[in-house]
Amino acid sequence: MIMNHLLRFPAPRRSSVVLKAVLLRVFAGLALGVLAACSGPSVQLLDRPVGATGTTKAITSSRALETRNRSTLRDEGLLKLYNRDRQAAIEQMAALLKQDFTRERALALAEMSSDYADSLTEEQPLAAMGRYLDAAWLTRESSLLVMEEGGENPEKALNDYASARITRLLRDQEGTRKTSASIPGSMRTWELSLATGEGMVDPRRFDVVVPSSWTKTDGIKWKSITQDGAGVAMVGFVGFTPERKEADPQFPEAGRGYPLNARLEFDGNQANLILQDLMDDSDARIGGRTVPLEANFSSAVSFSYYSKTTQMSRIEALLRPGEFQDQVGLYSFRPHDPERIPLVLVHGLLSSAEAWLPFVNLLLADSVVRERYQLVLFNYPTGVPIARSMTQLREALEDYQKRNDPRRSNPNMRRMVILGHSMGGIISNAQIRKSGDHLYDSAFTKDIAELNLDPNQERILKRMAFFEANPDIDRAILLAAPLRGSAFASNRIGQLGARLIRLPFDFVDSVFGQIESIDALTDIAQQASQRPVNSVTSLRPDSPVLGGLLKCPVRPGVKIHSIMGQRDPSVPIEEGSDGLVPYSSAHLDEAVSEVVVMKADHRGMVEKDETLQEVWRILYEHVGRRRMEGSGSVE
């Protein structure tokens, strides 16, 4: 079991290895200090679009009119009046437009109204909304041309800007929950309503609502997953509070970002603001046809860094795992949705749940993943023995099921998919197997009653050594999982690293205790007992845990998929390796599919396009769909 770690740490040997370990500990301490001093990724909110074209920047700036609109005002003899009295100029342009509607006059009046609204937002938010509604109405038809014509479209830039401003102003109306209001504008008095129904959301449910193009990210080098279309891409953010955590135990401390789209539709003086959750549907019916909506899924994922929450340090969590036990658990990107299938991601050694964010970003490029799956991340400090992490994940999944489907009546909860990378693949593999006596017998020669353990030790040992396969996991995807161990854990670097890891003494003492007779251990467990107690030594090829786990049968009906990397394509696959995990360790005869990603190392293979395509294929297969080969490739 874990069984290879049942004894306390042996006394350190006086040797060159100890000296190297001390030196390495010093260097590790320095590294931790440097990492602590470095700032991590961050998201900043701005008040105007970032990286926009010159026309878009000009059209959404309230300082001066865009060149062509300025020329229109000059031709109409209104430029001087506009410089003196904006409201008077707006009223005269509106009168001219009613006499003879031209695109030039409409665009000029739309920008004039939008600029004037900018000056009203602080003191007169309702009046500002009226002017923004004027601007949106004036550009409503021309803004849709961008979908057919492409290229730069000043009307769409203005329409998007007005829609975004109205959405944000509505969000700030926290004192009321009204879904409609009468708002005077220069063109007419508008009856503004908020769309309700499936996929529609209220901006007031978020702490922040901002256009994706109004955010600036630092330290994030992801491929941007976007979609061109109607409306304006937005992000809604719900921050962490103790109350929200109590109501939803899977609520992450970093908060949740939601990809949204805002647009306005008009019918006479009726204006309907539609704020749509793009995880439900990224298309809409507009003008009698289905069209894509503008989206930025990466912005929503990047908001995991908005609150500047202290993320779990991957190095510290390896070396001092006892300090991070309060962060063990499942975290989801959205509140539980019974219509979605849970997809649980389990990270590997020297990692954390946060490390999945680049991969999640890529996953969300696919609409089936967005609409059919519930993304859930398991977070745990990677220094503890593997068997302990196996148990913690098992307990977390049991709690997840009891909380979200206590009557076991939701079929989607019976179709869970688990995906684990590296050591996370081992932990995931343990969830689909029934232990029987295999795990216990790999470490012990005597019955558990003969070990003379106190009741607490015996309870924990039973919990780790004897378990049933999770009945809700229907499919497992194992990425570069060292199921038979890695030579890295046995070489000199691995040994030195293992000696740096320290578990709290009370944890080691209460969980593993002391076995009174060495005869109670198998030969391989006796050898393992001479090593430190942690995850690195659990990954040795001679680990009783790994050997015993592979003897445990997989629950009937569960499908296993293996994906692994190979750095050197010239080497035969059977002899290949990703640099840390050899093919011979990751291969499983029980797997229904196996993909070897060439020119991929252990960590880099996760974000390779071949890996992503295979994961997509499997997830499509799981919901009875077939994905066109090569679609959605990520460069």
Side-chain angles (χ1 to χ4, degrees), residues 163-185:
S163 300
R165 283 294 189 189
I166 290 171
T167 303
R168 300 191 78 187
L169 285 169
L170 277 177
R171 197 231 74 83
D172 293 338
Q173 308 303 306
E174 297 184 30
T176 177
R177 285 296 169 187
K178 293 181 179 179
T179 57
S180 63
S182 181
I183 302 174

Side-chain angles (χ1 to χ4, degrees), residues 56 84 172 214 250 280 294 333 370 430 479 563 628 634:
T56 298
R84 292 196 316 270
D172 293 338
W214 298 12
Q250 279 80 54
D280 292 325
E294 185 178 282
F333 281 89
R370 296 194 301 266
L479 306 184
I563 307 175
M628 294 182 62
V634 175

